[in-house]
Amino acid sequence: MSSNKDKYFRKLYLQNRIVKYIITFAGFSSIVSIAAILLFLLLESSPLIKGAKIEEIFSFSLPDPDKKPLLTGTDPYMRVYYIMSKDGVIKFYYASDQSLMRSDTLSNFSEEKILCVSRGSLMKDVFAAGTDRGRLITFRIRFKNDFIGQEPVVNINLKVLDIYQVDPGQQQQVNHIEELIFRENDDLYRFYAWKNHHGGFNLRIYDPDEEENYLHDIKKILPADFNVSAFTLDFEGSKLIAGAKDGRLTWYDISGLKNIELIQHWEAYRTEISALGFLIGGQGLITGSAEGSVNLWIPVRIKGQEFEFQKINSFESHSKAIKLIIPSPRDRNFLSIGSDGEIHLNYSTTGRTQLKFSPTEEIVSMAAFSPKSNAIIAADSKNRFGFYNLDNPHPEITTKTLFGKTWYEGYDQPEFVWQSTGGSSEFEPKLSMIPLIFGTLKGTLYAMFFSVPIALLGAIFLSQFGTMKMKQIIKPTIEIMAAIPSVIIGFLAGLYFSPLFEKFLMEIMLFMILIPVFFYITIVLWRFIPAGHKTGLKTGFELLLALVPVILSLAAAFSFADLAERVFFAGNFQQWLFSVIGVTYETRNSLVVGFALGFAVIPIIFTVAEDALSNVPESLVSASLALGASKWQTVRRIVVPAAAGGIFAAIMLGLGRAIGETMIVLMATGNTPILDINPFNGFRAMSACIAVEIPEAPVGGTLYRVLFLTALLLFAFTFVLNTISSIIGDKLRKKYARF
Amino acid sequence: MEIIPVTEKNSLEQDNRSVKRNEVVRTENLDFFYNPESHALKNINLSIPGKKVTAFIGPSGCGKSTLLRCFNRMNDLLPGSYLKGRVLIDNKDIYANGIRLEELRKKVGMVFQKSNPFPMSIWENVAFGPRVNGESDKHTIEEVVKSALEQADLWKETKDRLNESALDLSGGQQQRLCIARTLANKPEIILMDEPASALDPISTGKIEETIIELKKNYTIIIVTHNMQQAARISDFTAFMMLGEMIEFNDTKTLFTNPNENLTEEYITGRFG
């Protein structure tokens, strides 16, 4: 007998243990999986905050110290690099073992010395060299990647495109071309600006269609006291910028080819402008001063009229004068090189100096980016030559560009912009989180405006005034609403409801205005009916009664919509909206999303709130009624406060659903990432943005990681909301738990 | 809930003592059905005097609470239930058309078996009745709250903690708070549905003292399980069984010399 009992208890104990382990395991694994998601999101987005890193691959001293290197570069795959020296010899080396591959000579005069070389484009390897015989030699290097069997080989094609003898002028002396800026734009127009050793400053524009040269003596155009210390051209060949010893800058428009027009003449520094450079895109101008300051200027429309260069960003100063500005061929990065040999890697839009390094103790005489911007080649004054790997995956991302206003090229002021992809390779992605957060909040707000009153009032009515039969029909029906896939709601809203909404816009707006009016009138009239006629009515009758104002206002809305549109909105509401308020009506606007998203949120809020309201202890209701409170007083003063925790939790759950909802906002809005609270235009929500853009985002790229950051934010949003709702819900539940 | 009026066939016949007893509540041929199958009260004819304590006793399920709830129409809340016959309070049929439930329930207060203070402060609990009945003058409410708490013998214990949650009071205090809450409405009749059944003897004693004190000003109808309690505090006692009124008499007579055999059997503990 006793052993039987023992057995029984042992079995019971074992069962308890097993169930306990299963439950613990289930709970623990759900926590682990949430944590794993969080960790994954963190891991994917955290490289955004990683800084730039530079690492030397190799360095060596060039054998002939007299042959100063003037130009260096590499092919896109960094298999070959080249060095051009003063005697016009370009030597190509294998990057793998630094062995010489081939050697070419540019000039056919053995005595001729190359004095300066300029890169003509960020995309193509075209260059122009200026010689001591007054010649401008334009040449091109082409790298062709090929295979011999399995081995990759690089074929190099060096071609001299044009040799131009500069007119010696009246002095009949040979010009030494001392400084040269060369550009070849996409239409193959060539622009040469140079200074000779007599102090002359000239511009030559070559028109390939007319095979014509246009020559300009800039020295004569410039103000008499303008002592040119630096100059540059943009890569389009439309802007000539010259800087003076006294810190002034001038901007000439040279796109007219034949005539040169002064656009702006301004004081940039109190000290000499020692270096100038344009960035990719042809908008951003970098200035470097003799005191070591580096600034970004972009053309900004002043008062909607003329463009003027304005100082947008200041970068970390160098301790010595700026010697060189080298733009990256890939992005808005650039190198500023001080005359003490320190190199700064800056990103123009963020204003951030990402990296500072001094490759040698000597002055850096020359530097270049690799075509993919993933390496830097630099040579110093003692012919020490170095090749450096650059790891700089996300230079455009800072907390400020993500969450603050950023001044982008082409904008008149700092703004929050999300524009992840553009048409050209010069496009700069603009990845501000603010329009997305705003979009999410806007969609949520409109959805809540629509759903909270309906769901809560519905829940109050059904739980407090509804009959058993009504409950049996209404509650499951609304719960089925929650089971409708959101893609169907989004589809219907986007393709069916929004055109309908546009068609009957006036009617719908009028209806929404009229319905409270008619309800009020009905209630007032109802009170005039003597009490004796009302007592016999069954519960549920009020539903039928409520139909009266609904039908009346619907009828009124449809019959007076045209009239209202004519009287108040000059016959066409959408036109009125555009001309008077300045808002473009979008078919898929926030109101449509509000309705559609609200439709998805209503069942959640309704079900949870209804449960909470129904669970208010009957004893409280009885006590209140027994004290002579009316049914409505009881609801308002006792039931709703007692269910506040549950109602709050219901709203929070609805909010969480609305924030995280993807398909509805994706399909029912235009997905325009704008910052505008107006209900008649759209928005782009975080969730929809992730869904739209993740297929386009290269894995590991900036956009990819920013989208993961968006997901992380979304996760945080819903996590915080749910935590708040359960904490407050718990507190309120504890308060009423003693019943 | 539906009310089905009946023809007055023998309503006055039974009611012979009403005038001399200062009658406040009278029922005439009262039948109550929770649903057509459940006939809870059967032809109850009863006359309850004013400013006295009347106790309803009887075994569980005999209908004594149901009868009590007919007096303030709390049974109206039960879907599907209906009633035949008449209930008159101050000679007015409370089930007639045009009766305002809020007014009736203000006049006929109720204390429930389980204390059910609202999850608010003590003060707000007591002020609830006057407030929902349209009293907005703060000073008046203050006075009403104080006097109600004094009458319920709770003022001394709570005057310094009126703003604390009512849920922090002990069980007995909570029940007295519920009495005070009812008194704040200045009712004429107070219905008590086993008000002390969930309380310890000391709290029960206090409640009983309160009831005896209240009888000076109010008509009290109390449902109780506890025959000693009925004997201690009531002036009149009704004994009910299976929905029928077996005997209604003054308490002393009913407990010492009952007319009916069933009553005697019940009070001597032979069943129940």
Side-chain angles (χ1 to χ4, degrees):
Chain A
M1 192 67 196
S2 117
S3 91
N4 252 349
K5 223 175 187 175
D6 264 12
K7 234 179 175 173
Y8 172 73
F9 278 116
R10 214 171 293 147
K11 201 176 146 197
L12 205 66
Y13 177 73
L14 197 70
Q15 272 177 354
N16 271 345
R17 292 259 308 233
I18 290 170
V19 171
K20 191 183 142 196
Y21 284 134
I22 291 173
I23 291 172
T24 312
F25 174 75
F28 189 71
S29 50
S30 65
I31 291 172
V32 166
S33 52
I34 295 273
I37 291 171
L38 187 64
L39 190 71
F40 175 69
L41 292 177
L42 271 173
L43 281 179
E44 285 298 320
S45 53
S46 62
L48 284 176
I49 54 166
K50 239 177 31 188
K53 251 195 297 192
I54 197 151
E55 185 188 12
E56 183 183 296
I57 302 174
F58 58 82
S59 68
F60 57 89
S61 290
L62 289 174
D64 192 347
D66 293 336
K67 293 181 178 174
K68 290 238 179 271
L70 286 170
L71 176 71
T72 183
T74 166
D75 74 304
Y77 301 99
M78 297 196 289
R79 297 202 181 104
V80 173
Y81 61 91
Y82 55 87
I83 300 167
M84 178 181 171
S85 50
K86 249 183 149 168
D87 53 5
V89 175
I90 305 179
K91 284 183 172 158
F92 294 87
Y93 299 89
Y94 286 112
S96 50
D97 53 3
Q98 291 102 54
S99 59
L100 185 67
M101 182 191 179
R102 60 181 266 189
S103 177
D104 291 276
T105 312
L106 204 60
S107 162
N108 43 5
F109 298 98
S110 57
E111 292 299 300
E112 191 170 12
K113 286 268 175 289
I114 309 276
L115 297 178
C116 48
V117 185
S118 170
R119 173 178 269 275
S121 165
L122 289 170
M123 307 297 161
K124 304 175 279 189
D125 287 314
V126 277
F127 306 93
T131 71
D132 59 355
R133 300 265 171 95
R135 297 204 303 168
L136 297 172
I137 304 168
T138 313
F139 61 99
R140 185 192 68 202
I141 301 170
R142 267 207 188 134
F143 297 96
K144 255 177 103 186
N145 282 281
D146 225 334
F147 284 93
I148 295 177
Q150 292 290 310
E151 284 294 299
V153 286
V154 187
N155 286 320
I156 289 158
N157 178 324
L158 175 75
K159 192 179 174 192
V160 174
L161 300 172
D162 178 48
I163 295 178
Y164 180 80
Q165 179 66 55
V166 170
D167 177 19
Q170 283 164 350
Q171 287 107 338
Q172 293 295 316
Q173 279 178 299
V174 171
N175 280 316
H176 289 197
I177 293 173
E178 286 197 317
E179 279 178 58
L180 171 67
I181 298 290
F182 164 64
R183 299 293 182 240
E184 183 182 271
N185 71 11
D186 293 343
D187 300 327
L188 302 177
Y189 284 67
R190 296 192 187 125
F191 304 83
Y192 306 79
W194 72 90
K195 263 167 79 176
N196 64 27
H197 69 299
H198 305 303
F201 183 21
N202 294 283
L203 176 69
R204 170 192 166 212
I205 302 172
Y206 174 70
D207 179 347
D209 303 331
E210 309 284 327
E211 294 194 8
E212 181 109 34
N213 282 304
Y214 302 102
L215 291 171
H216 301 280
D217 190 345
I218 305 294
K219 183 94 183 163
K220 281 190 183 141
I221 299 170
L222 282 169
D225 60 341
F226 201 93
N227 197 348
V228 177
S229 56
F231 60 95
T232 190
L233 295 166
D234 72 330
F235 291 93
E236 275 300 299
S238 64
K239 298 185 192 79
L240 168 69
I241 305 286
K245 285 219 154 65
D246 57 5
R248 281 181 294 162
L249 280 170
T250 53
W251 167 18
Y252 291 97
D253 182 6
I254 58 169
S255 57
L257 306 181
K258 282 173 209 160
N259 37 37
I260 287 178
E261 201 186 333
L262 175 73
I263 305 286
Q264 197 188 352
H265 179 203
W266 76 102
E267 199 169 310
Y269 297 106
R270 302 225 166 266
T271 164
E272 179 185 328
I273 291 167
S274 56
L276 286 170
F278 266 104
L279 298 177
I280 189 170
Q283 299 283 311
L285 170 72
I286 305 295
T287 57
S289 80
E291 284 179 352
S293 47
V294 182
N295 292 96
L296 167 71
W297 304 71
I298 62 171
V300 174
R301 207 184 274 277
I302 301 296
K303 293 173 199 128
Q305 296 284 320
E306 302 286 314
F307 280 106
E308 269 181 25
F309 270 106
Q310 273 201 7
K311 187 150 79 174
I312 302 306
N313 277 329
S314 296
F315 301 89
E316 213 172 302
S317 288
H318 288 253
S319 47
K320 290 278 167 56
I322 308 300
K323 196 160 169 280
L324 281 171
I325 304 281
I326 295 162
S328 155
R330 270 297 172 98
D331 47 32
R332 262 71 178 169
N333 269 315
F334 65 94
L335 298 177
S336 58
I337 301 170
S339 49
D340 57 349
E342 190 173 58
I343 301 181
H344 286 190
L345 174 69
N346 306 302
Y347 193 80
S348 73
T349 314
T350 59
R352 188 167 58 155
T353 300
Q354 290 164 299
L355 205 65
K356 290 190 278 187
F357 71 109
S358 300
T360 60
E361 297 294 304
E362 299 301 319
I363 297 159
V364 173
S365 62
M366 174 199 70
F369 276 102
S370 70
K372 291 187 171 188
S373 221
N374 51 357
I376 294 170
I377 313 166
D380 69 12
S381 54
K382 294 230 169 117
N383 290 357
R384 183 92 193 145
F385 186 86
F387 205 105
Y388 306 90
N389 225 347
L390 177 63
D391 179 25
N392 188 21
H394 311 294
E396 65 270 57
I397 297 302
T398 60
T399 326
K400 195 170 163 273
T401 56
L402 286 175
F403 299 105
K405 283 189 172 178
T406 310
W407 200 331
Y408 289 104
E409 289 169 12
Y411 286 79
D412 293 343
Q413 71 246 5
E415 270 176 56
F416 301 112
V417 191
W418 174 276
Q419 199 182 349
S420 56
T421 45
S424 73
S425 53
E426 291 170 0
F427 174 80
E428 181 182 16
K430 301 166 186 72
L431 304 172
S432 171
M433 297 268 89
I434 300 297
L436 305 184
I437 295 172
F438 180 86
T440 290
L441 294 180
K442 183 180 176 185
T444 309
L445 185 78
Y446 281 106
M448 296 313 264
F449 266 151
F450 176 63
S451 60
V452 168
I454 291 183
L456 285 191
L457 292 176
I460 288 172
F461 175 78
L462 194 67
S463 66
Q464 301 303 311
F465 301 94
T467 59
M468 218 42 214
K469 212 171 179 181
M470 279 157 72
K471 271 188 206 186
Q472 279 163 3
I473 297 166
I474 294 174
K475 220 179 164 200
T477 310
I478 290 187
E479 275 158 9
I480 285 172
M481 265 171 79
I484 299 174
S486 60
V487 68
I488 292 176
I489 300 176
F491 179 78
L492 285 177
L495 276 94
Y496 180 72
F497 184 57
S498 59
L500 212 65
F501 187 85
E502 189 174 6
K503 195 175 166 197
F504 295 112
L505 181 63
M506 210 58 224
E507 282 84 350
I508 290 169
M509 291 201 324
L510 209 57
F511 174 67
M512 290 198 291
I513 295 166
L514 286 177
I515 202 162
V517 177
F518 275 95
F519 256 102
Y520 185 75
I521 293 170
T522 314
I523 288 165
V524 169
L525 289 177
W526 180 246
R527 295 177 83 172
F528 276 112
I529 297 174
H533 293 275
K534 288 189 266 193
T535 35
L537 298 169
K538 281 188 185 174
T539 331
F541 172 78
E542 60 270 14
L543 271 184
L544 282 176
L545 188 71
L547 274 180
V548 174
V550 172
I551 290 167
L552 280 179
S553 41
L554 209 58
F558 270 87
S559 28
F560 295 116
D562 282 344
L563 184 71
E565 193 160 8
R566 244 177 293 141
V567 173
F568 297 111
F569 305 114
N572 188 334
F573 176 71
Q574 289 171 31
Q575 218 155 56
W576 179 86
L577 201 66
F578 183 71
S579 54
V580 179
I581 315 234
V583 173
T584 322
Y585 181 89
E586 283 179 36
T587 308
R588 296 179 190 180
N589 57 45
S590 308
L591 285 181
V592 174
V593 185
F595 286 134
L597 199 52
F599 190 82
V601 170
I602 282 174
I604 295 169
I605 300 182
F606 177 87
T607 313
V608 179
E610 208 273 342
D611 284 343
L613 287 161
S614 295
N615 286 338
V616 171
E618 197 54 42
S619 66
L620 287 185
V621 178
S622 302
S624 167
L625 292 174
L627 284 168
S630 69
K631 193 81 213 221
W632 174 240
Q633 280 174 324
T634 305
V635 168
R636 200 164 57 88
R637 290 169 180 261
I638 303 297
V639 179
V640 172
I647 292 173
F648 183 81
I651 293 175
M652 284 297 166
L653 280 177
L655 207 62
R657 168 80 199 266
I659 285 176
E661 177 53 52
T662 309
M663 284 321 287
I664 294 175
V665 285
L666 181 70
M667 299 178 85
T669 66
N671 285 311
T672 37
I674 47 170
L675 277 169
D676 188 351
I677 194 71
N678 196 292
F680 297 108
N681 52 30
F683 57 85
R684 176 180 287 199
M686 293 155 96
S687 54
C689 188
I690 297 172
V692 169
E693 303 213 1
I694 202 87
E696 314 271 329
V699 174
T702 303
L703 178 59
Y704 176 85
R705 300 212 186 282
V706 169
L707 290 175
F708 269 95
L709 182 73
T710 313
L712 188 67
L713 268 180
L714 204 54
F715 185 94
F717 265 41
T718 37
F719 186 81
V720 167
L721 272 180
N722 284 341
T723 310
I724 289 174
S725 83
S726 69
I727 287 172
I728 294 185
D730 263 11
K731 251 187 192 162
L732 290 164
R733 226 164 287 136
K734 248 176 222 159
K735 195 171 163 189
Y736 298 102
R738 279 176 267 188
F739 289 96
Chain B
M1 161 167 172
E2 285 177 76
I3 302 133
I4 301 161
V6 288
T7 46
E8 299 181 19
K9 42 184 182 186
N10 55 355
S11 60
L12 292 173
E13 169 197 344
Q14 290 224 346
D15 178 37
N16 43 7
R17 291 159 297 204
S18 64
V19 181
K20 60 183 173 195
R21 268 192 196 164
N22 175 31
E23 174 194 85
V24 171
V25 181
R26 188 174 80 221
T27 66
E28 292 174 359
N29 307 94
L30 182 66
D31 281 83
F32 184 82
F33 301 82
Y34 282 109
N35 52 56
E37 281 86 48
S38 165
H39 194 173
L41 296 176
K42 293 166 188 164
N43 196 29
I44 307 286
N45 288 284
L46 188 66
S47 173
I48 295 169
K51 308 247 163 119
K52 300 280 180 206
V53 178
T54 304
F56 292 173
I57 60 169
S60 297
C62 70
K64 50 194 191 301
S65 288
T66 310
L67 180 59
L68 192 75
R69 284 162 174 269
C70 285
F71 300 153
N72 67 346
R73 292 185 60 171
M74 284 305 274
N75 286 331
D76 287 21
L77 298 174
L78 306 168
S81 65
Y82 58 98
L83 175 141
K84 287 181 192 166
R86 299 211 294 167
V87 178
L88 296 112
I89 289 177
D90 291 338
N91 266 322
K92 260 195 261 170
D93 185 353
I94 61 165
Y95 284 91
N97 272 348
I99 288 288
R100 293 185 69 113
L101 281 180
E102 291 81 10
E103 267 169 43
L104 169 72
R105 287 176 184 157
K106 182 176 182 296
K107 189 164 146 186
V108 185
M110 186 166 201
V111 177
F112 295 82
Q113 176 174 11
K114 209 176 153 215
S115 63
N116 51 0
F118 300 129
M120 317 166 176
S121 74
I122 294 166
W123 191 90
E124 281 173 323
N125 258 282
V126 184
F128 183 86
R131 278 176 165 178
V132 297
N133 286 302
E135 183 59 66
S136 56
D137 180 47
K138 185 131 202 259
H139 192 68
T140 317
I141 296 178
E142 288 291 348
E143 272 177 16
V144 168
V145 169
K146 183 173 181 229
S147 120
L149 283 170
E150 277 169 349
Q151 289 181 70
D153 198 17
L154 199 60
W155 177 250
K156 275 186 216 148
E157 295 153 70
T158 58
K159 64 179 173 193
D160 299 322
R161 43 188 288 207
L162 289 174
N163 287 323
E164 284 174 31
S165 170
L167 303 177
D168 292 337
L169 293 172
S170 73
Q173 284 174 324
Q174 285 190 7
Q175 193 58 298
R176 275 182 284 143
L177 179 70
C178 291
I179 294 174
R181 191 171 66 183
T182 308
L183 293 173
N185 259 347
K186 300 189 175 135
E188 288 172 25
I189 303 163
I190 301 171
L191 310 174
M192 294 188 175
D193 191 356
E194 303 187 35
S197 67
L199 299 179
D200 61 283
I202 293 168
S203 299
T204 306
K206 277 200 147 178
I207 297 273
E208 287 178 8
E209 279 168 35
T210 310
I211 291 170
I212 291 165
E213 195 61 33
L214 287 175
K215 144 174 118 164
K216 293 172 193 160
N217 299 313
Y218 305 92
T219 303
I220 294 167
I221 307 172
I222 180 167
V223 166
T224 177
H225 246 98
N226 182 333
M227 278 178 285
Q228 285 78 19
Q229 190 177 52
R232 276 197 300 271
I233 62 174
S234 69
D235 303 297
F236 296 89
T237 302
F239 170 59
M240 293 178 71
M241 226 181 104
L242 298 171
E244 285 179 82
M245 178 68 62
I246 305 298
E247 186 171 356
F248 180 54
N249 220 323
D250 65 272
T251 302
K252 209 168 179 186
T253 318
L254 190 127
F255 277 99
T256 54
N257 188 17
N259 289 335
E260 303 285 331
N261 274 340
L262 275 173
T263 316
E264 188 174 354
E265 282 174 18
Y266 180 71
I267 58 178
T268 51
R270 259 173 257 170
F271 71 91

